[in-house]
């Protein structure tokens, strides 16, 4: 399907942004509503083309086509821990749409914001900094090279959150991000403005753009440029970034006919942060590989878990006082031909009625400072907090 700009398609996308699946990307934007069938099978082992997860998806695509869905797509989210149930479904109807045209016709966000009656950090600052200290000790003792620790912020509002208004504010404030909304089967919505592409595939070509290493943006242009250059010159952040890109190269190489990975990262910006990023491109060696099978191969990257993954995941389970669930997972879509796009579920939150839960994480290496990591996660939370008129 081509990206459409008709008024009816843009209206469909607008409705999906609050009551369905919505994914706006610089490459291809997709909106979907209704549910033909769900896929809750855990995505663990989803990189195997003959595994249970991939076989079920192929079967569901066949069922959808037999029932008259001409171009079925699989959409939704996979949790950080891929052994937990997936939140995926094949919608009854879907349309690609022109993201630029959608932004142009988007109405201004309502100025009225929900009154926040309670805001709680989980864990609180002292506890989080103790977590970081323990992780620094583990990396310094070489039990692992890096671990990503996260924290939550829980918000209660006086009245139910207006999802349509919140999404409009997110898209207006973060025009360069991957803006998404997923209606969850258990109730509520997963939404966000992720800056990080995990995997895009079109035909035999794939593209991934990992981010690792961050610095806060400054309001003064000269100070902002200096902050970016400091990040590029930071040995701590360059080390953290190289751990990620080296691990991704090693995972992708056996499945690739060709693979291009620059030796030096580039600087990228969001509205609140500088990031180190590396654009990786390749061509699959197995024609049957899909956007989702490659995404499962990569997920979770060391940018969301750590390295080595098994050791990092064990330490995360010991230190974090909550189950990440869909936070730190992946969200996106894949069509029956294997084309699709998946991004990392960061700069995000879950909204259910008047209750909101926000997520942010930071990579911990031997040179990490507990206070700096608290500040970094605070800046990352600001992407969602700004949508609520908070800082």
């Amino acid at each position: 399907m081509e990206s459409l700009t008709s008024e009816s398609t843009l209206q469909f996308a607008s409705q999906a942004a609050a009551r369905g699946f919505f994914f706006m990307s610089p490459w291809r934007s997709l909106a979907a509503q209704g549910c033909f069938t769900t896929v809750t099978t855990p995505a663990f082992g989803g990189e195997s083309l003959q595994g249970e997860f991939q076989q079920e998806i192929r079967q569901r695509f066949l069922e959808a086509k037999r029932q008259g869905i001409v171009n079925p797509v699989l959409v939704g989210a996979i949790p950080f821990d891929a052994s937990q149930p997936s939140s995926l479904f094949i919608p009854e109807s879907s349309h690609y749409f022109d993201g630029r045209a959608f932004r142009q016709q988007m109405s201004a966000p309502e100025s009225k914001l929900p009154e926040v009656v309670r805001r709680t950090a989980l864990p609180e600052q002292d506890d989080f900094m103790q977590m970081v200290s323990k992780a620094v000790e583990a990396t310094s003792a070489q039990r692992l090279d890096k671990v990503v620790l996260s924290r939550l912020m829980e918000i209660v509002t006086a009245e139910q959150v207006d999802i349509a208004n919140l999404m409009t504010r997110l898209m207006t404030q973060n025009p360069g991000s991957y803006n998404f909304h997923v209606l969850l089967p258990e109730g509520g919505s997963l939404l966000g403005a992720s800056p990080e592409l995990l995997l895009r595939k079109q035909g035999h070509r794939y593209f991934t753009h990992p981010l690792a290493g961050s610095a806060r943006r400054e309001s003064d242009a000269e100070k902002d440029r200096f902050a970016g250059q400091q990040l590029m010159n930071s040995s701590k952040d360059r080390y953290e970034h190289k751990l990620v890109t080296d691990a991704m190269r090693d995972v992708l190489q056996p499945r690739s006919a060709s693979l291009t990975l620059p030796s030096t990262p580039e600087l990228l910006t969001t509205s609140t942060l500088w990031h180190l990023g590396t654009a990786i491109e390749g061509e699959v060696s197995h024609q049957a590989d899909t956007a989702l099978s490659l995404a499962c191969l990569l997920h979770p990257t060391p940018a969301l878990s750590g390295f080595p993954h098994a050791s990092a995941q064990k330490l995360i389970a010991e230190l974090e006082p909550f189950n990440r669930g869909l936070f730190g997972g992946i969200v996106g879509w894949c069509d029956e031909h294997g084309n699709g796009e998946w991004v990392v579920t960061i700069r995000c939150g879950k909204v259910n009625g008047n209750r909101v839960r926000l997520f942010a994480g930071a990579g911990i290496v031997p040179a990490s400072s507990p206070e700096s990591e608290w500040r970094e996660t605070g800046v990352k939370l600001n992407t969602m907090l700004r949508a609520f008129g908070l800082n």
Side-chain angles (χ1 to χ4, degrees):
M1 285 184 284
E2 295 298 319
S3 295
L4 302 178
T5 59
S6 70
E7 185 175 339
S8 61
T9 300
L10 296 180
Q11 179 63 30
F12 180 92
S14 182
Q15 293 169 355
R19 298 190 297 275
F21 175 84
F22 177 92
F23 187 90
M24 191 150 70
S25 156
W27 177 56
R28 181 176 288 179
S29 299
L30 177 69
Q33 294 189 64
C35 177
F36 168 73
T37 186
T38 60
V39 176
T40 59
T41 300
F44 185 78
E47 70 278 6
S48 170
L49 297 172
Q50 300 308 317
E52 178 187 356
F53 181 68
Q54 292 294 343
Q55 288 192 53
E56 179 178 354
I57 289 170
R58 288 194 292 271
Q59 183 61 36
R60 297 298 178 90
F61 274 139
L62 288 173
E63 291 170 3
K65 288 180 75 70
R66 279 199 292 265
Q67 293 299 317
I69 299 177
V70 179
N71 295 297
V73 291
L74 183 77
V75 305
I78 290 170
F80 168 73
D81 180 354
S83 67
Q84 296 177 357
S86 301
S87 293
L88 301 168
F89 65 100
I90 293 178
E92 293 173 344
S93 57
S94 60
H95 294 285
Y96 297 109
F97 65 94
D98 186 311
R100 184 176 300 178
F102 183 87
R103 287 191 185 279
Q104 290 173 348
Q105 63 88 49
M106 209 167 54
S107 57
E110 295 177 17
S111 57
K112 182 174 182 258
L113 294 166
E115 179 191 354
V116 174
V117 296
R118 189 165 70 247
R119 190 164 34 156
T120 308
L122 182 67
E124 297 285 357
Q125 182 173 357
D126 287 348
D127 291 336
F128 180 80
M129 289 172 62
Q130 285 182 14
M131 285 165 49
V132 173
S133 295
K134 290 177 181 177
V136 168
E137 182 183 331
T139 58
S140 299
Q142 298 184 333
R143 296 206 298 272
L144 71 171
D145 295 309
K146 170 187 174 179
V147 62
V148 178
L149 294 180
S150 61
R151 65 182 177 102
L152 306 179
M153 182 170 287
E154 297 183 328
I155 292 174
V156 178
T157 57
E159 55 193 43
Q160 185 166 308
V161 175
D162 183 336
I163 296 293
N165 185 34
L166 182 59
M167 281 297 296
T168 300
R169 294 179 67 84
L170 268 179
M171 289 184 278
T172 302
Q173 294 171 0
N174 303 278
S177 297
Y178 297 87
N179 297 285
F180 60 86
H181 175 272
V182 184
L183 197 64
L184 299 175
E186 67 271 21
S189 300
L190 173 72
L191 49 87
S194 176
E196 185 169 359
L197 172 68
L198 179 70
L199 198 290
R200 173 190 306 144
K201 182 174 176 290
Q202 173 68 39
H204 299 318
R205 303 291 302 175
Y206 68 79
F207 183 80
T208 177
H209 205 167
L211 307 181
S214 307
R216 188 182 69 181
R217 300 288 305 274
E218 300 288 345
S219 55
D220 179 81
E222 187 173 342
K223 288 181 179 178
D224 190 45
R225 284 193 297 271
F226 181 69
Q229 200 54 52
Q230 273 192 313
L231 176 64
M232 180 62 85
N233 296 334
S234 164
S235 57
K236 175 256 184 190
D237 291 285
R238 290 288 289 267
Y239 169 75
E240 181 186 342
H241 188 81
K242 191 171 187 300
L243 283 175
V244 173
T245 54
D246 284 356
M248 293 179 72
R249 177 202 60 210
D250 293 346
V251 167
L252 286 167
Q253 191 79 63
R255 302 279 275 260
S256 302
S258 65
L259 179 63
T260 303
L261 189 152
S263 58
T264 304
E266 58 186 335
L267 283 169
L268 289 92
T269 58
T270 68
S271 57
T272 57
L273 284 164
W274 286 95
H275 289 289
L276 293 179
T278 295
I280 302 172
E281 297 184 67
E283 183 175 346
V284 295
S285 53
H286 305 287
Q287 292 188 13
D289 256 323
T290 71
L292 185 51
S293 67
L294 292 177
C296 289
L297 179 70
L298 292 172
H299 173 64
T301 73
L304 266 295
S305 169
F307 187 81
H309 170 64
S311 299
Q313 196 163 33
K314 183 174 182 292
L315 189 59
I316 288 168
E318 291 173 5
L319 295 179
E320 289 186 353
F322 51 82
N323 184 334
R324 289 187 185 183
L326 295 175
F327 295 145
I330 58 175
V331 60
W333 62 273
C334 183
D335 68 19
E336 61 174 325
H337 306 295
N339 305 311
E341 192 165 40
W342 296 85
V343 300
V344 178
T345 313
I346 54 176
R347 314 298 193 274
C348 60
K350 286 178 72 174
V351 180
N352 198 346
N354 71 332
R355 296 184 174 274
V356 182
R357 179 171 268 206
L358 309 180
F359 167 87
I364 313 302
V365 294
S368 294
S369 154
E371 190 169 348
S372 296
E373 302 304 337
W374 172 262
R375 288 198 302 268
E376 180 180 324
T377 51
V379 174
K380 290 174 176 176
L381 285 169
N382 271 345
T383 296
M384 293 297 297
L385 288 172
R386 284 169 63 237
F388 285 91
L390 301 170
N391 288 304

